[in-house]
Amino acid sequence: MTTSGPAAPDRPEPRSRLVGVDLARGLAVLGMFVAHAAPTADVQLWETLVRDVAAERSRLLFAVTAGLGLGLLTQARCRPTSRRAGGTEDGSAVGRGSDALRQAQRASVTSPDPREAAAAKQSRPQRPEPVEGRAHRTDADSEALRPARRAGAGPADSAGEATGRAVPGRAALRLEIAIRALCLLVLGALLTTLDTPVRIILDEYGVAFLVVLPLVFLPARVLLGLGVGGVLLLPGVAAALAQLRAVRAQQVEPWGIVVEWFVTGAYPVLIWAPTLLLGVALVRLGLGRRRVTLVGLVVAAVVAAVALPLGAQLVPPRQVAIGIATGGVERFAVATSLTVAGNVAAMLAVALALVALTTWLPGRPRRLLVRLGAPLAAVGSMPLTVYVAQVLVLWLLTRGLGVPLGEDHWVLVIGLTAGSLLLAWLWRRSLGRGPLERVLGAVSRPPARRRPR
């Protein structure tokens, strides 16, 4: 990226932007290892605390980073297209310059004086340089955006923005995201048939993407309102519905899987969807900008510090996690909403803190942090590959070799962690994108958007 002058003091350097998203995603993967393979029998208090924290929060950190990734994926197609606005919401002058451009073109054609034509040509507004501070894609998302460019980015996009027409590429991008979501559903179903000791989340993940897909191109403030309102209200609604006998009875029906996806499951879409919208909204607001990042970090930390103790006063967090209603359904629903909102805010604060550290630190400390975190960022850049590999390893150990989980197996957690960090780092350095991420990108790309050979 180039600029017409020195970068503003609150603008990050382009190369370091949003490495924190990969780091946060990598932390979620490591937390998943603890949740799946840490010992549960004859454990000390610290081991119980570590497992509880990892089990409850790693999934929400996944949802937060998934929302940020979805926002980064769709960011290029979300510049407003209003002709009256005189420009774009992000400060671009494309819309403002369209009238002057047309006048210059008419002058250059109708004027008999070559000097007037030359002056009119010079008066044509130039397309502005990219604005510093705009949220940038991470390695995990950049490959997914390349088909979007081929589908309609470039001059057509600029023309659409300048003339008030819808920017080309949104429909194709929606289709690609929908195909990816369906692929996750199929992959989740296949892994579930293995009868692994791990609770597979890929199907809920895919359903959540399908649910939020119609909303991802809404204005940033609308997305933020939907996300905040959903995180505050929907977890309690899901918890209250899950206590109803009529709802639980639907789980044995042929459509029971849908009830589990949305209400009664360990990862209900009613919690995942608003969390995704929060992440998308933050990217729309300008995640690469210092003010957005730091204000979001402070607000998330305050919400977590307030909501988590309040929820714990009503119902213990462990009972909320396993869905045991105590003290009445209303009390349990409020406690669930407070606990989930606090955990989402805490994980959002973690992600934003990592973005801030890898963006706003001075040059040498920042580069050192990025280098030291490279293995973790590599894991975060290929989460689907690492997740599926972990499921297959645990399936092989438990079903093939008869190794029981939940006993004294911190060695297994350490092995999964070390192996994933090393192999992901080596793969990323030598081959780039993760193998399953490559396959998913190729499958989800519609034929019309593939380059002819």
Side-chain angles (χ1 to χ4, degrees), residues 34-49:
V34 175
H36 292 166
T40 57
D42 298 329
V43 295
Q44 300 180 15
L45 178 60
W46 70 268
E47 294 175 305
T48 302
L49 291 176

Side-chain angles (χ1 to χ4, degrees), residues 1-8 11-14 17 128-133 136:
M1 176 179 294
T2 60
T3 58
S4 57
R11 305 299 190 190
E13 295 182 23
R17 289 177 183 164
E129 296 289 344
V131 179
E132 280 288 345
H136 276 224

Side-chain angles (χ1 to χ4, degrees), residues 175-380:
L175 177 60
E176 180 174 344
I177 295 172
I179 294 174
R180 288 176 180 237
L182 293 175
C183 289
L184 292 177
L185 273 169
V186 173
L187 183 57
L190 292 176
L191 292 177
T192 302
T193 60
L194 296 178
D195 192 23
T196 67
V198 175
R199 174 67 173 83
I200 305 299
I201 67 171
L202 293 182
D203 46 354
E204 285 97 336
Y205 200 67
V207 172
F209 272 97
L210 291 175
V211 168
V212 303
L213 185 56
L215 308 175
V216 293
F217 294 114
L218 291 175
R221 289 177 177 82
V222 176
L223 289 171
L224 185 63
L226 291 174
V228 171
V231 167
L232 290 175
L233 297 177
L234 292 183
V237 172
L241 290 175
Q243 304 302 316
L244 299 178
R245 292 182 179 178
V247 174
R248 294 198 300 267
Q250 303 303 312
Q251 293 180 271
V252 299
E253 300 294 338
W255 54 83
I257 185 63
V258 178
V259 178
E260 184 175 353
W261 282 340
F262 283 87
V263 179
T264 61
Y267 309 93
V269 174
L270 289 181
I271 294 176
W272 278 62
T275 307
L276 290 174
L277 293 179
L278 273 179
V280 176
L282 279 174
V283 175
R284 296 284 189 277
L285 292 172
L287 187 59
R289 297 175 179 172
R290 177 178 297 180
R291 181 178 179 181
V292 173
T293 303
L294 296 185
V295 170
L297 171 59
V298 171
V299 171
V302 170
V303 171
V306 172
L308 287 175
L310 288 178
Q313 288 291 326
L314 294 175
V315 176
R318 180 172 292 185
Q319 294 184 9
V320 170
I322 61 180
I324 299 179
T326 57
V329 175
E330 296 83 0
R331 183 186 182 95
F332 180 71
V334 173
T336 300
S337 282
L338 288 172
T339 302
V340 172
N343 284 329
V344 170
M347 296 302 98
L348 187 59
V350 169
L352 293 179
L354 290 172
V355 169
L357 288 174
T358 54
T359 304
W360 306 115
L361 282 178
R364 184 172 296 178
R366 177 185 54 78
R367 288 191 294 270
L368 178 61
L369 177 61
V370 171
R371 288 176 182 175
L372 292 177
L376 183 61
V379 171

